Amino acid sequence: MATDWQQLSRDVEALLKEARRQVIAKMHQTLTVDEKTGRKDLVTNVDKGNEQFLIHAIRQLDPQAQVLGEEGFGDQVTSVKGRLWIVDPIDGTMNFVKQRDNFAMMIGIYQDGVGQLGFIYDVMNDVLYRGGPQLGGVWANQQPLSAPADLALADGLIGMSSPLVIKDIAHTQAIVHASAGMRVYGSAGIEMINIMLGKTLGYISYLKPWDFAAGQVLLNTLGVRTSTIDGQPLDMLSSNLVLVATKQAQRDILQIEEDDVSL
């Protein structure tokens, strides 16, 4: 049976709105905060509970699909064949814990490795960014989004992971110097939103599949490039040093990489 992508999108929208309601309610309770790989890599009871809620609902909506979740409540995914849902229940957990702001919920839906639908929910501003090739565009709530301007690197701000710049990994200091300036939001989802809205022209960070899956669908639909730092396609099942940028900015950044390698 053919997939009704429009109906599936409406179902996911309803699911995320209920997840938001639950997360907002839990924010006023005492959080249980644990470290994963270190004191700056946190997970809370809300991350875990929200992933369990989302994955349970996804299995009702699409029982034959695989589900990859950040907190490990999904499947042990070894192949992108078939339908794959990639879920980040709370993106920007440090912001969630310290600020109660600037975090997102994200879902990307892929078919045989190709992005079909993406959802990034700016929880505190109550704006759901949704879209993909199956919907023919991208919307912020009910407002259709236009493609952001195809700016060159020198003409806009770029989002960065601060440790990359501090350690000058992949020539990020030169990239920042060539741009109009650097911004750090602490959430891949919020970074992706800023690119969609034309507030920044790119983003560079080490990201895992749940960090970039939804954003890749939405941004590619709007004509923004996603790749590894050296311009290769992203591996949907492993960590990547990810470059998200307008076409012109991607060319500029890849040229910086090539020039530094040739020195």
Side-chain angles (χ1 to χ4, degrees):
M1 182 182 296
T3 301
D4 184 342
W5 293 99
Q6 294 279 350
Q7 183 58 52
L8 191 60
S9 177
R10 289 191 290 270
D11 291 339
V12 176
E13 182 175 357
L15 170 61
L16 286 169
K17 288 185 177 298
E18 173 57 23
R20 176 185 183 271
R21 187 194 66 77
Q22 294 184 22
V23 167
I24 293 293
K26 292 175 182 176
M27 284 176 64
H28 303 293
Q29 304 170 8
T30 301
L31 297 178
T32 301
V33 182
D34 297 310
E35 296 180 4
K36 292 199 282 190
T37 61
R39 70 182 185 88
K40 295 184 180 180
D41 183 14
L42 304 180
V43 62
T44 73
N45 58 306
V46 178
D47 297 70
K48 294 176 181 178
N50 196 38
E51 179 163 304
Q52 289 173 308
F53 169 75
L54 291 171
I55 290 178
H56 175 76
I58 289 167
R59 295 205 191 281
Q60 302 301 308
L61 288 173
D62 198 0
Q64 302 304 314
Q66 296 187 96
V67 186
L68 178 62
E70 177 177 9
E71 308 308 336
F73 295 105
D75 300 307
Q76 296 297 316
V77 179
T78 59
S79 169
V80 296
K81 185 177 180 180
R83 185 122 75 233
L84 174 62
W85 296 60
I86 304 178
V87 176
D88 193 335
I90 299 287
D91 175 68
T93 300
M94 182 67 78
N95 292 351
F96 174 71
V97 172
K98 300 295 185 182
Q99 299 179 327
R100 301 294 202 272
D101 199 358
N102 299 310
F103 63 94
M105 295 187 292
M106 303 195 290
I107 295 175
I109 306 177
Y110 285 69
Q111 186 73 41
D112 296 322
V114 179
Q116 305 296 328
L117 294 175
F119 304 83
I120 300 179
Y121 205 158
D122 180 347
V123 174
M124 297 311 294
N125 287 315
D126 195 16
V127 180
L128 175 59
Y129 298 83
R130 58 183 176 85
Q134 293 294 346
L135 297 184
V138 176
W139 286 261
N141 289 342
Q142 303 309 312
Q143 181 68 36
L145 295 183
S146 300
D150 184 16
L151 297 178
L153 180 60
D155 296 329
L157 301 168
I158 187 163
M160 281 280 185
S161 166
S162 54
L164 292 181
V165 181
I166 292 168
K167 299 175 183 178
D168 196 23
I169 294 171
H171 318 297
T172 46
Q173 291 183 9
I175 294 167
V176 170
H177 181 72
S179 75
M182 179 178 81
R183 296 295 180 268
V184 180
Y185 296 102
S187 160
I190 301 300
E191 296 276 10
M192 304 287 190
I193 288 169
N194 276 280
I195 298 170
M196 284 190 279
L197 297 178
K199 295 181 179 181
T200 56
L201 53 67
Y203 175 47
I204 300 175
S205 184
Y206 277 115
L207 300 177
K208 296 183 178 179
W210 40 81
D211 297 315
F212 65 79
Q216 176 168 251
V217 178
L218 295 169
L219 288 162
N220 288 175
T221 302
L222 292 172
V224 178
R225 299 280 178 84
T226 54
S227 69
T228 63
I229 192 65
D230 55 356
Q232 299 303 307
L234 297 176
D235 183 338
M236 295 308 303
L237 297 181
S238 68
S239 299
N240 297 260
L241 180 50
V242 175
L243 165 61
V244 183
T246 63
K247 294 174 184 177
Q248 287 198 70
Q250 186 198 50
R251 286 196 293 269
D252 295 339
I253 291 166
L254 293 178
Q255 189 61 56
I256 290 171
E257 296 294 325
E258 292 173 8
D259 289 347
D260 279 6
V261 167
S262 65
L263 290 178

